[in-house]
Amino acid sequence: MCGIVGYVGSREVVPVLIHGLMRLEYRGYDSAGIAIIDETGNLIIEKAVGKIKDLTEHLWGKNIKGHIGIGHTRWATHGPPTVENAHPHKSRDNSIALVHNGIVENYVQLKEDLISKGYKFSSQTDTEVIAHLIEEEWDENLLKTVLKVAKKLKGAYAVGIISTKEPDKIVALRKGSPLVIGIGEGENFIASDIPAVLEYTNKFITLNDDEIAVITKDSVDIYNIDGEKLEREPFTVNWDISVAEKEGYKHFMLKEIHQQPKSLTDTISGFLSNLDNPVFDNLNKFNKLYIIACGTSFHAGLVGKFWIEKFLKIPVIVDYASEFRYRESPIDEKTLILAISQSGETADTRFAAIDSQKKGAKVLSIVNVVGSSLSRESDYVLYTYCGPEIGVAATKTYTAQLITLFLFAVYGGLKRGFISQREFEDFRHHLSILPKAIEETLKWEDKIKDIAYKYQNVKDFLFLGRGLNYPTALEGALKLKEISYIHAEGYPAGEMKHGPIALIDENMPVVCIAPEDEIFEKMLSNIQEVKARKGIVITVTDSDNSELEKLSDEIVKVEKVSSQLSPIVNILPLQLLSYYIATFLGKDVDQPRNLAKTVTVE
Ligand code: F6R
């Protein structure tokens, strides 16, 4: 949802900004731009519609030089992707340029006010008001002025500002949208996300809400909204830059699919080395649990409900965060909200969690990005240990969310006395062999590629599953929709006869997730129903059942794992299927149209 980057130091600034923007492109790719203060102290702004490569082509031959600047890659909210609406935006007197991630909610009122004072607007964005406001409110210096302006802004934002009046500093301000400060030697950075500047530094400071930073090449000073100076120690990130590279894979999505044996191993050991998480000592205080999340994280929550109700014996309601927030659910101090979010920045999820806290509930979050807003706002946090996920379609973080939910349920069950130590050890054993099962399942890649090739031109897909694997069907359909733009629906297989079966004919591929579990026979009957209507059956199973083989037009055999863990293995062929269909169709797999990785607007 827009990425921002900034640099001050002795390097040539343009390549630093462009590299940073390329690493942030997953956050939005409608248009991009940079602003720098050149060697003669002038403000230069360059923008282009499209991706960072379009901006790079636009910059070709311009030979812009300078050592301080800011950059932006946009996911359009207010106004279509045009050069006028692209960031950076500037003040009327050409002294100030800024980049913004988020939404200024009271921009209409601020804009009308500024227009009445003679300001002219060249874009339809909410952002431009900030640039004019800084000019209008100018008071001695940039910091003092930004402190004044920040008090007038409503909404969520991360902003980076440069000014020709103080050409040696970047002022950054944050409320609700992510922003980190990278600390170098004789150079400093701002960025929406760590990988943007990881090739230059591994030391970072997270700017908190309602904080303002003044950054020069040799100093970083942080202030609260009242202008009081704050102390903040940097933290060190021990990732190397390869986390932000494709490492030989054609796309980040494919790399991330293949990283799952490792991300699961890391997430399991991360969980098991943090068993002293205080949430486990407090579980008896709660009599109900709401899981709130969006998109893929919501699907993980649907699986989590099965495990939590089974092992932890607490009733669970799973809801889209955007729906939950505007319903009057009975929330009190006996309610535990389990908020699941890869980014930890999704506005719908964060605000639903914060609202619930105000009603007395406690919030436990499952988050991948350490230090993200949701992780800091929660009462308890469980991390997935996946490293950065750059492909817009979530893959490795989904399976890591699943494993964390499973561990939460079984360890919580142990703590509450519903599971014996022996049963817990048994589950640990099943978990220890899971990464190998994932590796073996990924060996079906070539077969899945063939299936993808065969069905790439189909207009609609149906995904069916039951029980624990009904959410797998939903997630398989979501993956296909978002990266190949093929219409797909996920459905509980037993529900099909109540309506959707009417869709099935000889042109409809039906992906059937059929693990050999206690409802296998029922699933087999549902597959018979599909076949009887001439549907094309593509089966994902761990079974050697000969009837199933006869019914299947295509079959992918996943490794056998404990049936409780089957959703973690069964999703892999579906991730690969959507990946290969999308690549055969020539779609932009890592940056599908209209989407952004981190959705910081409601
Ligand atoms: C789908 C996808 C999205 C996200 C959703 C929530 O592949 O990535 O549906 O799952 O936007 O994002 P987080 O988990 O960051 O809250």
Side-chain angles (χ1 to χ4, degrees), residues 140-159:
E140 274 179 60
N141 60 41
L142 191 55
L143 171 64
K144 212 168 159 195
T145 311
V146 172
L147 284 166
K148 252 166 94 179
V149 167
K151 294 204 172 99
K152 297 190 173 221
L153 302 178
K154 293 206 174 105
Y157 43 79
V159 185

Side-chain angles (χ1 to χ4, degrees), residues 380-419:
Y380 317 105
V381 187
L382 295 169
Y383 282 106
T384 51
Y385 295 81
C386 296
E389 185 175 66
I390 294 174
V392 164
T395 52
K396 62 177 176 174
T397 55
Y398 176 65
T399 47
Q401 287 167 346
L402 291 180
I403 208 72
T404 305
L405 283 159
F406 179 78
L407 278 160
F408 167 68
V410 293
Y411 186 64
L414 175 72
K415 292 288 276 187
R416 291 190 86 197
F418 298 124
I419 282 186

Side-chain angles (χ1 to χ4, degrees), residues 444-462:
W444 280 77
E445 186 164 359
D446 284 343
K447 167 73 184 168
I448 297 164
K449 199 169 168 179
D450 289 346
I451 300 173
Y453 187 76
K454 205 160 152 189
Y455 298 102
Q456 60 179 294
N457 293 315
V458 166
K459 295 273 170 288
D460 304 277
F461 264 84
L462 204 54

Side-chain angles (χ1 to χ4, degrees), residues 223-490:
Y223 302 86
N224 67 16
I225 196 91
D226 297 319
E228 292 157 352
K229 207 163 169 189
L230 306 170
E231 289 305 316
R232 186 71 43 82
E233 280 303 308
F235 58 92
T236 304
V237 170
N238 51 14
W239 307 334
D240 70 66
I241 190 61
S242 66
V243 300
E245 308 280 356
K246 290 187 193 144
E247 295 184 286
Y249 288 97
K250 196 165 170 220
H251 295 102
F252 281 111
M253 183 180 176
L254 191 59
K255 171 182 162 186
E256 287 157 4
I257 289 173
H258 281 274
Q259 277 180 321
Q260 290 177 99
K262 176 160 177 7
S263 55
L264 286 175
T265 306
D266 292 349
T267 300
I268 295 167
S269 59
F271 185 98
L272 293 174
S273 42
N274 288 293
L275 293 178
D276 54 355
N277 190 311
V279 71
F280 294 110
D281 294 324
N282 289 302
L283 282 175
N284 284 334
K285 294 184 183 153
F286 305 111
N287 62 10
K288 63 178 170 301
L289 194 155
Y290 286 92
I291 297 182
I292 54 168
C294 309
T296 292
S297 299
F298 170 77
H299 296 153
L302 290 174
V303 184
K305 174 184 166 79
F306 280 82
W307 290 325
I308 294 169
E309 291 191 334
K310 182 177 172 78
F311 299 120
L312 208 47
K313 308 219 183 293
I314 301 181
V316 179
I317 294 163
V318 191
D319 212 345
Y320 289 113
S322 54
E323 289 296 314
F324 175 80
R325 190 177 180 203
Y326 297 100
R327 202 178 21 255
E328 290 182 29
S329 304
I331 295 165
D332 55 24
E333 56 292 337
K334 290 193 173 150
T335 308
L336 181 63
I337 301 288
L338 172 44
I340 309 173
S341 175
Q342 182 284 128
S343 61
E345 301 295 344
T346 301
D348 291 319
T349 310
R350 281 183 58 210
F351 298 144
I354 291 169
D355 283 356
S356 306
Q357 273 170 329
K358 288 184 191 145
K359 294 178 188 158
K362 292 279 186 246
V363 172
L364 163 67
S365 58
I366 295 181
V367 174
N368 190 47
V369 178
V370 178
S372 55
S373 301
L374 180 63
S375 71
R376 287 179 293 123
E377 289 152 0
S378 302
D379 299 283
Y380 317 105
V381 187
L382 295 169
Y383 282 106
T384 51
Y385 295 81
C386 296
E389 185 175 66
I390 294 174
V392 164
T395 52
K396 62 177 176 174
T397 55
Y398 176 65
T399 47
Q401 287 167 346
L402 291 180
I403 208 72
T404 305
L405 283 159
F406 179 78
L407 278 160
F408 167 68
V410 293
Y411 186 64
L414 175 72
K415 292 288 276 187
R416 291 190 86 197
F418 298 124
I419 282 186
S420 67
Q421 187 66 39
R422 198 179 156 167
E423 283 169 308
F424 183 68
E425 292 310 325
D426 201 34
F427 283 129
R428 275 181 77 146
H429 166 71
H430 285 297
L431 287 172
S432 68
I433 53 179
L434 188 66
K436 183 81 190 140
I438 302 277
E439 244 173 69
E440 291 301 314
T441 302
L442 288 171
K443 291 186 180 157
W444 280 77
E445 186 164 359
D446 284 343
K447 167 73 184 168
I448 297 164
K449 199 169 168 179
D450 289 346
I451 300 173
Y453 187 76
K454 205 160 152 189
Y455 298 102
Q456 60 179 294
N457 293 315
V458 166
K459 295 273 170 288
D460 304 277
F461 264 84
L462 204 54
F463 289 73
L464 300 179
R466 292 187 75 123
L468 275 167
N469 283 287
Y470 156 49
T472 311
L474 295 180
E475 176 60 8
L478 175 64
K479 286 287 90 87
L480 189 63
K481 278 185 272 209
E482 67 181 330
I483 62 168
S484 72
Y485 321 146
I486 292 175
H487 170 248
E489 264 192 78

